[in-house]
Amino acid sequence: MNSNLSSEFTTINKCLWNDKVDYHVNSSMYDVNGFLHGNDSLNSIEIDLLGDIQEKRIIHLQCHFGLDTLSLARRGVKQIIGVDFSEKAIAKAEELANLTNLSTSTKFICCNIYDLPHHLELQQSENLFDIVFASYGTINWLPDIIQWAHIVSSCLKPGGSLIMIEFHPILDMFDAAYTRIENSYFNHEPIVNDCQGTYADRTAPIQNQSMEWCHPLSDVIQALLQNGLQIEIVKEFDYSPYDSLINSVKIADKRYQIKGLEGKIPIIYAIKASKPK
């Protein structure tokens, strides 16, 4: 990956995500107060794929301010490490870990995902993970999907699994309101936008640039295969469990579709991929 590109997207997107943290923490979407009173932030899609995680070592990539990381910790993991490049997000995650008495089993690392190997001693087998977890808006912020897959594979112990749940790249074809197709599904150029507010609070008084990439589903699968992982499960869903998209309509509890496209396009996909023993 070009070093200039790495520096540019990291600077632009870190500013964006640092500015989002306070508004997300106070939003009804994230419901931090409910979490502090025992609510689980995980959804049925990832719960079903994860299965029994008691006494597992998990690394959660691009964890934001750690609600899902801590929800996983509550399920009895041996250890979980959350990783994010936003200093404000990691600081809030550590605060929440202390408030919920989960700091013993939980650790947070602040770094660019491509720099993660420098923060883990992966050459020692006891430091490898049973599960790499990534969910809902992660790889679209990364330019190099092959390098990402290499890092995933490097983190896994033999027999370990990647569990990823992601917004479907077909959404990148549409305009912001999902009313017309504007972009190629196979676009590999950076998608640069000027953003106002945030998906969890449209009225938040923040304005930033963002830099994202569309990764077709076949590119994601091929990157995982190229890095030695075996694909076990691929699923697509015609809903999002979050009301995070413009022009969304609620069709059931924790199920949102796009108005005018109800039941017609995939919104979420999920993959389970394992490292051979």
Side-chain angles (χ1 to χ4, degrees):
M1 180 174 53
N2 182 286
S3 60
N4 290 333
L5 175 61
S6 176
S7 176
E8 183 180 13
F9 92 84
T10 299
T11 300
I12 289 173
N13 290 338
K14 184 186 287 191
C15 180
L16 172 76
W17 283 96
N18 274 331
D19 283 354
K20 287 177 184 284
V21 172
D22 288 341
Y23 296 99
H24 286 189
V25 168
N26 293 308
S27 70
S28 59
M29 177 180 292
Y30 282 94
D31 187 21
V32 171
N33 185 60
F35 171 80
L36 291 173
H37 285 85
N39 290 352
D40 192 332
S41 68
L42 300 172
N43 303 296
S44 60
I45 296 174
E46 53 264 33
I47 290 170
D48 291 345
L49 283 174
L50 284 162
D52 182 8
I53 59 172
Q54 289 196 33
E55 293 303 309
K56 302 289 189 183
R57 293 192 77 242
I58 300 177
I59 187 161
H60 181 190
L61 306 183
Q62 293 161 271
C63 68
H64 198 20
F65 65 93
L67 282 195
D68 286 357
T69 316
L70 296 169
S71 286
L72 290 166
R74 280 176 171 168
R75 290 173 173 263
V77 302
K78 182 177 181 180
Q79 184 189 37
I80 185 163
I81 297 176
V83 183
D84 201 274
F85 71 166
S86 163
E87 301 92 347
K88 288 188 67 174
I90 290 297
K92 179 56 66 173
E94 291 173 339
E95 177 187 329
L96 292 172
N98 288 324
L99 287 172
T100 51
N101 297 315
L102 293 168
S103 56
T104 301
S105 61
T106 307
K107 176 182 176 182
F108 291 98
I109 296 173
C110 185
C111 74
N112 182 324
I113 206 71
Y114 294 120
D115 295 332
L116 180 58
H118 301 301
H119 297 263
L120 300 169
E121 296 180 356
L122 297 175
Q123 68 276 12
Q124 299 178 19
S125 60
E126 64 269 21
N127 291 331
L128 298 177
F129 297 89
D130 298 290
I131 296 171
V132 173
F133 181 67
S135 62
Y136 303 104
T138 55
I139 61 172
N140 57 298
W141 300 102
L142 303 175
D144 190 335
I145 196 69
I146 294 175
Q147 181 63 17
W148 169 85
H150 174 73
I151 291 168
V152 168
S153 181
S154 298
C155 286
L156 286 171
K157 64 173 59 174
S161 297
L162 163 71
I163 303 294
M164 70 173 296
I165 304 92
E166 186 56 277
F167 287 100
H168 203 286
I170 199 171
L171 298 176
D172 292 323
M173 297 175 64
F174 289 87
D175 66 320
Y178 302 103
T179 58
R180 64 182 183 276
I181 292 176
E182 289 188 340
N183 306 302
S184 167
Y185 181 73
F186 302 103
N187 172 37
H188 287 94
E189 296 301 313
I191 302 168
V192 180
N193 289 308
D194 292 315
C195 309
Q196 292 186 333
T198 175
Y199 59 84
D201 183 356
R202 300 289 177 191
T203 65
I206 53 176
Q207 185 169 348
N208 303 91
Q209 259 196 341
S210 67
M211 186 177 288
E212 302 177 58
W213 285 264
C214 176
H215 299 295
L217 190 52
S218 58
D219 285 4
V220 178
I221 292 172
Q222 196 60 38
L224 296 171
L225 292 172
Q226 184 175 323
N227 282 281
L229 300 184
Q230 298 175 340
I231 307 298
E232 294 189 14
I233 296 172
V234 178
K235 292 184 176 182
E236 294 174 293
F237 302 86
D238 66 356
Y239 69 89
S240 166
Y242 301 107
D243 185 13
S244 60
L245 303 174
I246 295 173
N247 280 341
S248 66
V249 291
K250 185 175 183 178
I251 60 166
D253 185 43
K254 298 193 78 173
R255 294 196 176 201
Y256 298 87
Q257 295 180 335
I258 296 170
K259 185 177 181 180
L261 295 171
E262 296 95 326
K264 294 180 179 178
I265 63 170
I267 296 179
I268 297 291
Y269 72 90
I271 294 176
K272 179 179 180 180
S274 298
K275 191 171 186 176
K277 293 183 178 179

